[in-house]
Amino acid sequence: MFETIRSERIKAVGLMAGSKHDQLVMVLTRANIRAEHFLSDLSAQCGGNASKLNRSCATGLIRAYLAAEGAIGATLRRKGGDNLTIGTSATRNEEPVTFQTGQLAKFSGTGLESNHSYFVSVSEKSTGFQLAITYPSSVLEPVFNPPPADLGLSGETFLADGEGYFVTKPRYASTQGHKYPISALPMQSCLSGQSREMLSLDYRDVAIIHGFQFVPELGAACIMAHITQDEAFAPLKSLRQKITIAIFLFGTILIMIALYLARSIVKPITMLTKVTRAIAAGDYQAQADAAGRDEIS
């Protein structure tokens, strides 16, 4: 019973990491879909001729789109034509944007302070336009914070980049993940492409149930779900104490019943033995108590 409860508790943390992955993929997918529709409208309204972009038209539409999206920048490219960058773009004009199969977005870079923004990239084959929209990583905070109630008072979920630095805010202060990459074993396992649960120390060296999910949709990233082992397994300790108390009480009752039964059998036998000895000693008037209907009576 204990192993079943323990296993289910660990599994629940892994399911939470999977749930956060699904939410993150939904956010990135919707951003891509909106960008595709916007690029289609943009090319229709501001495409101009085959090599010339109506920059004034495109600039106005892009600025309005960035404001509506909460994005911080965009780069519009056209093969063989000119490029247009608005705001703070995560891409450079001379760099081609390439995603792996299934990848939906990409951080502006890796390492310390380089994951504060990410971008989605869409293209239109018929016109040759390619549009990259840059978002601050803070727009992903609602996916991970506040921590889910299912993870208890000590729980947290967060996103880390491909080197082990925090992308979203962790619940607890630490040096790891900010000044240095997170070196905990679960993080390293996740960044190697694994998705599972593990009992180990976290970035604070606290005993944690880890549920982690690799995120290929961002190129390389990791979702972590945490709850302290003390809190997660507290019901097991309580249950163990209750069972121990129940066993003690049950044992005490059994002893009392055994003593009562023993006395109810031993007492009449003892009395019968005394009568027998009295008769053997010559007291022929001695009589045994024959009250009751059991074998001894």
Side-chain angles (χ1 to χ4, degrees), residues 144-164:
F144 301 94
N145 289 301
D150 290 348
L151 291 180
L153 298 176
S154 64
E156 66 173 335
T157 57
F158 61 83
L159 177 67
D161 67 11
E163 293 187 7

Side-chain angles (χ1 to χ4, degrees), residues 99-206:
F99 281 179
Q100 300 173 2
T101 302
Q103 186 174 350
L104 299 173
K106 186 176 183 180
F107 290 117
S108 57
T110 58
L112 188 61
E113 296 185 357
S114 60
N115 58 16
H116 292 175
S117 63
Y118 68 94
F119 64 93
V120 300
S121 179
V122 296
S123 59
E124 192 175 51
K125 293 182 178 180
S126 60
T127 60
F129 277 122
Q130 184 181 53
L131 177 66
I133 304 293
T134 303
Y135 295 85
S137 295
S138 58
V139 303
L140 300 177
E141 285 290 341
V143 176
F144 301 94
N145 289 301
D150 290 348
L151 291 180
L153 298 176
S154 64
E156 66 173 335
T157 57
F158 61 83
L159 177 67
D161 67 11
E163 293 187 7
Y165 288 96
F166 290 118
V167 176
T168 59
K169 295 178 181 179
R171 184 167 191 168
Y172 304 100
S174 72
T175 301
Q176 290 190 36
H178 294 290
K179 294 183 179 180
Y180 309 100
I182 298 173
S183 58
L185 177 60
M187 177 63 73
Q188 300 308 311
S189 298
C190 182
L191 294 178
S192 69
Q194 300 180 43
S195 298
R196 58 190 180 94
E197 303 86 37
M198 181 185 295
L199 300 181
S200 185
L201 301 180
D202 70 346
Y203 57 89
R204 301 170 294 148
D205 290 333
V206 175

Side-chain angles (χ1 to χ4, degrees), residues 74-98:
T75 296
L76 179 65
R77 294 182 177 87
R78 193 178 206 177
K79 188 175 181 180
D82 51 359
N83 299 325
L84 175 63
T85 296
I86 305 295
T88 304
S89 177
T91 65
R92 297 178 181 178
N93 290 342
E94 66 273 12
E95 293 180 347
V97 178
T98 57

Side-chain angles (χ1 to χ4, degrees), residues 178-256:
H178 294 290
K179 294 183 179 180
Y180 309 100
I182 298 173
S183 58
L185 177 60
M187 177 63 73
Q188 300 308 311
S189 298
C190 182
L191 294 178
S192 69
Q194 300 180 43
S195 298
R196 58 190 180 94
E197 303 86 37
M198 181 185 295
L199 300 181
S200 185
L201 301 180
D202 70 346
Y203 57 89
R204 301 170 294 148
D205 290 333
V206 175
I208 293 290
I209 299 178
H210 302 260
F212 49 85
Q213 185 86 29
F214 184 66
V215 187
E217 291 84 1
L218 277 167
C222 187
I223 292 174
M224 302 295 295
H226 288 175
I227 183 174
T228 61
Q229 294 182 30
D230 285 343
E231 180 179 8
F233 297 141
L236 290 180
K237 294 180 180 179
S238 176
L239 181 60
R240 184 178 288 109
Q241 292 174 351
K242 292 178 180 178
I243 291 178
T244 301
I245 293 173
I247 290 174
F248 174 78
L249 294 176
F250 184 67
T252 302
I253 293 173
L254 284 179
I255 292 173
M256 293 174 64

Side-chain angles (χ1 to χ4, degrees), residues 40-48 54 57 61:
S40 178
D41 294 339
L42 177 70
S43 63
Q45 297 182 46
C46 310
N54 186 331
C57 172
L61 290 180

